[in-house]
Amino acid sequence: MSAHIQSAADENEHIMVCLSASASNPEVIRQAARISSSFHGKFTAFYVEMSGMDDMPVQERNNLQANIRMAEQCGANIIVSYGNDVAEQIAEYVKVAKVTQIIMGKTYKGRRWLFKRDSISDKLLKIAPNLKVMLIPDPLEEEHKVHWVRRRRNQDFYRNSLRLSIDILTIFLFLLLSTGICVLFEENEFQTDNLLMIYMMGGLLQALFARCRISSILYALGSVIVFNYFFTEPRLTLHVNDTSYITTFFEMFATSMTVSTLVQQMKRVAKQAAEKAYRTEILLETSQKLQQAEDVSQIALQSIQQLEKLLNCTVYCIPGKPSSDMKLQDYFASNKEANGLSRDEIAVASWAYKNNKHAGATTGTLPGARCLYLTVRNGDKIFAIIGIELNGKVPTAFEKSVMLALLNESALAFEKEELRRRERETALRLQQEQLRGNLLRAISHDLRTPLTSISGNADMLMKSYQMMADAERTRIFHDIYEDAVWLINLVENLLSVTRIENGTMDIVLQPEMVEDVLDASMKHLNRHVKNHKLKVSQADDMLMAKMDAKLIIQVLTNLVDNAFKHTPEGSEIEINVYEKRHKVVFEVADNGDGVPDDQKEKIFTMFYSGDHTTSDGRRCMGMGLTLCKSIIEAHGGRIWVEDNHPHGAVFRFEIEAEEVNF
């Protein structure tokens, strides 16, 4: 009991590790994976993408991608969030996902101007004081800190130098433009307040183009200096006679700084909102398209088309397990002009499938491959392998998060399709079981009468043969023969239906003379035409059709025999054959009671016999018409029943006509 409670508690554990580009982050991931494995709980790797990540140094970006891949290989579910406050984003996700424990690396305290800045872990504990946070210390903490700070400063210096140069040029242009406008306004005797607004407006526009935060400070300082130099007394000097201007300059500087900072924040928020909107849009579009997919091939095509739209790369999809002898038609490509997958590439895909891990380009496993291979999976169940031809491109964290979300959508679609397939197979098995049960019931019921008749007549002959008159013995022999023929026809129909539905019957279509088929059918029917009138007519003696003659003879025999059974003695049966619209039409008409409208479609269903009994009292098993329908459909034709006016029924079927060449 205690073990069961402990197991349930472990399943409720949710371990989260924080990802970063730090060189010590792999050790943090490994420690988190060990803890998650010991608890048997849910394992999540969380990463916050901040504004300016596109300008991350190449080395840090590579470290980040490697850390994300390591977390995936350790079984973590990768979650990417967007914001400028890492601690706040972590705290918000912890509340929503019900994380029980956070594992993160040692974060260093820095300084902002003269003030000490809290580390991420300190901020996190302030926001959520009850949160359980485990810090993994770095064995080379001080050395790592010194090298990290020095490297970061060097990288920032070289990266920001070009940006700052461009921003300084932008500042100069906007100051020049603002000064020119103020000169025109001063000539038209505008007040000083209006001139100040011109410089503030220039600061607002400059902030829209700025790429460095310090550029807003430089513009605010430059605008104060330029305004003082050109538009305050004494002119063309930096002296100020009116002390009230000092307050004006301070307000101007503070306003420019505030407006510029707000514009920068709005730019970052707008970018993040655009990325979230794009992510939501592409995921919604993918979900809608996958819901409309009807089979595995459509799911695969929709998945790779959406990935190609996201990454602008050729994408391949291999449903199921890759094999070394795969050909082009065995997998799908988003680009019709794609080069295809070589045996070496398929071998990498096979490794990814076998190990349930990513492999290929940009990974640590077989990185020399042309494509990056990802598994479309739900837990340990793998549905397909996706190959992305990156051509040297490394997906960003945003692209990676959307890509993984698309793969999750594809996995759900593949899983639903597999469930539908299993349901169809189950329904088919149930249908087969029902068919088998109906067959057994029909055989046990319908075969009892002829078998009882045969055994009874045979017993009568054995016991009273010498005492019977010749006419009576002949009648009994004839009854036994008729019952045996009925049983033989029944078994032949049953076997024919089974072979056609299983696809084991070989149908050979070739040109045949319709007249020859009718003559062969009459030989089978003449011995039954003793109590009915049979009339055969053919519109054209040279009529030919593409058919399997033996099967069409069986269809005609079944239709005429059906008319014999369901019409009283003395009824007239007509067989008419003619050509209509390049089709040869066969008609079997009778003047019996006909077929009710509600039964016209049902009578071609196996074991359906309606409320009718045969003219000799036997109940028909309903396989003859089912066999006729199967044979005609195998010929590419159709069969149906209509009313025969003034009364009766007419069965028609049509097959392809054949040209007669002399």
Side-chain angles (χ1 to χ4, degrees), residues 220-422:
L221 184 62
S223 62
V224 170
I225 294 173
V226 171
F227 184 80
N228 180 32
Y229 187 81
F230 287 103
F231 300 105
T232 60
E233 296 295 340
R235 302 290 181 101
L236 303 180
T237 66
L238 296 178
H239 297 287
V240 179
N241 292 335
D242 190 354
T243 56
S244 63
Y245 275 121
I246 297 177
T247 305
T248 302
F249 292 157
F250 177 77
E251 293 176 352
M252 180 179 176
F253 179 80
T255 303
S256 298
M257 279 290 301
T258 303
V259 170
S260 300
T261 303
L262 291 176
V263 170
Q264 291 282 353
Q265 292 180 355
M266 289 177 61
K267 286 173 61 178
R268 290 193 296 268
V269 171
K271 181 181 178 181
Q272 293 171 359
E275 289 179 343
K276 290 181 179 179
Y278 177 74
R279 186 178 190 272
T280 302
E281 179 185 358
I282 195 170
L283 290 180
L284 180 60
E285 182 183 1
T286 302
S287 178
Q288 291 174 344
K289 289 186 176 182
L290 290 178
Q291 287 179 1
Q292 297 173 357
E294 297 180 353
D295 53 23
V296 171
S297 62
Q298 292 186 13
I299 294 174
L301 287 173
Q302 293 295 345
S303 299
I304 60 180
Q305 287 173 1
Q306 292 299 105
L307 286 171
E308 182 188 36
K309 180 179 178 181
L310 171 68
L311 302 172
N312 195 25
C313 299
T314 301
V315 185
Y316 302 92
C317 181
I318 306 175
K321 183 178 181 180
S323 60
S324 58
D325 57 346
M326 291 186 68
K327 299 179 181 178
L328 189 61
Q329 62 268 20
D330 297 329
Y331 56 87
F332 303 91
S334 61
N335 186 358
K336 294 181 179 179
E337 299 179 357
N339 296 325
L341 298 176
S342 63
R343 289 191 175 182
D344 293 338
E345 294 293 319
I346 294 176
V348 179
S350 300
W351 188 95
Y353 184 94
K354 181 180 179 181
N355 296 275
N356 196 5
K357 294 180 180 179
H358 302 340
T362 72
T363 69
T365 304
L366 304 172
R370 192 175 85 244
C371 299
L372 166 65
Y373 293 96
L374 309 172
T375 56
V376 181
R377 63 190 179 187
N378 189 358
D380 294 333
K381 176 66 175 178
I382 302 177
F383 301 100
I385 296 294
I386 295 292
I388 305 174
E389 197 170 329
L390 295 175
N391 296 321
K393 174 184 176 182
V394 178
T396 63
F398 172 74
E399 291 175 337
K400 193 73 175 292
S401 66
V402 178
M403 184 169 59
L404 294 178
L406 288 176
L407 294 182
N408 290 335
E409 289 288 338
S410 300
L412 291 176
F414 278 114
E415 187 175 24
K416 288 175 62 177
E417 174 59 26
E418 184 173 346
L419 290 175
R420 286 196 296 265
R421 180 181 58 80
R422 291 179 180 176

Side-chain angles (χ1 to χ4, degrees), residues 20-28 60 63 67 105-108 136-153:
S20 70
S22 172
S24 60
N25 195 237
E27 179 61 27
V28 177
E60 289 191 21
N63 289 345
N67 294 338
K106 179 70 174 179
T107 54
Y108 306 107
I136 305 297
D138 189 348
L140 302 175
E141 178 176 346
E142 292 301 325
E143 181 182 355
H144 178 270
K145 178 179 178 181
V146 172
H147 288 295
W148 181 83
V149 171
R150 184 181 302 165
R151 186 179 68 250
R152 187 62 183 262
R153 284 177 179 175

